[in-house]
Amino acid sequence: GENVEQHPSTLSVQEGDSAVIKCTYSDSASNYFPWYKQELGKGPQLIIDIRSNVGEKKDQRIAVTLNKTAKHFSLHITETQPEDSAVYFCAARTFQGAQKLVFGQGTRLTINP
Amino acid sequence: NAGVTQTPKFQVLKTGQSMTLQCAQDMNHEYMSWYRQDPGMGLRLIHYSVGAGITDQGEVPNGYNVSRSTTEDFPLRLLSAAPSQTSVYFCASSQGGLAEETQYFGPGTRLLVL
């Protein structure tokens, strides 16, 4: 089935710097890639998503890029702020069996003041 | 709207005990699902439902049962708890397809099985 690998598992950056989280997927038929942010003690919340017909999408300080040939996609956060500290999950939609999302392992991002 | 609510927030069980994790949503969403979250393993789908009266298995369904008698509620049952079921459980709902629309997650239930 679909397999999503996410790296790094932990990331620490200085406030104001950029952070990049990368994911690879195995199912070449996957065409929807969301990113979720999970704050401490809360459930994950969608922050941005991308579909396979575009290569990049931006929303203020957050951007996602997709390379279908290499089967990887990345989350970019610029001008990081303390409130960006959280666990981030990537996911890919699989068509194997019923449509469902397969999540990566998560990245714990810490923004140092 | 309260969104997706889950009860209890925390539960301790002994091996072999049974319990039901409650999930409710007030957004009139057709699709609901249960995930478990374990360190280093992300979120894994346990069961899902595409509407009242319809349920199906996800990636890790063994040891869990679900039912969907109403649009609002989607309880998850552990019939005989095992230590391997120690985890954080999240319920989610979405308006459209399971993997097409934004999924709204509840706050989670932390379960410890001794």
Side-chain angles (χ1 to χ4, degrees), chain B residues 90-107:
Chain B
F90 289 99
C91 178
S93 72
S94 59
Q95 178 61 45
L98 187 67
E100 193 69 41
E101 303 282 339
T102 301
Q103 292 200 60
Y104 296 87
F105 284 84

Side-chain angles (χ1 to χ4, degrees), chain A residues 7-113:
Chain A
H7 299 282
S9 57
T10 61
L11 180 60
S12 182
V13 302
Q14 289 298 120
E15 182 177 353
D17 288 349
S18 295
V20 180
I21 302 171
K22 299 181 179 181
C23 289
T24 60
Y25 61 98
S26 60
D27 184 359
S28 57
S30 292
N31 66 352
Y32 173 65
F33 308 93
W35 286 88
Y36 282 81
K37 175 184 180 183
Q38 184 180 24
E39 297 177 342
L40 190 63
K42 298 183 179 181
Q45 183 175 15
L46 180 73
I47 56 171
I48 195 168
D49 56 14
I50 191 169
R51 300 179 191 273
S52 59
N53 58 343
V54 298
E56 182 176 3
K57 183 176 179 180
K58 291 186 70 174
D59 182 3
Q60 298 183 341
R61 298 187 296 108
I62 295 174
V64 56
T65 59
L66 172 65
N67 184 325
K68 287 186 63 180
T69 302
K71 290 189 286 187
H72 68 68
F73 56 110
S74 300
L75 178 71
H76 304 255
I77 306 175
T78 59
E79 301 173 7
T80 54
Q81 301 170 4
E83 54 264 36
D84 295 328
S85 293
V87 178
Y88 292 81
F89 292 97
C90 64
R93 178 175 74 171
T94 176
F95 288 92
Q96 297 178 15
Q99 289 187 22
K100 56 182 179 285
L101 288 178
V102 177
F103 284 84
Q105 296 83 355
T107 296
R108 182 175 298 279
L109 175 63
T110 302
I111 308 301
N112 301 310

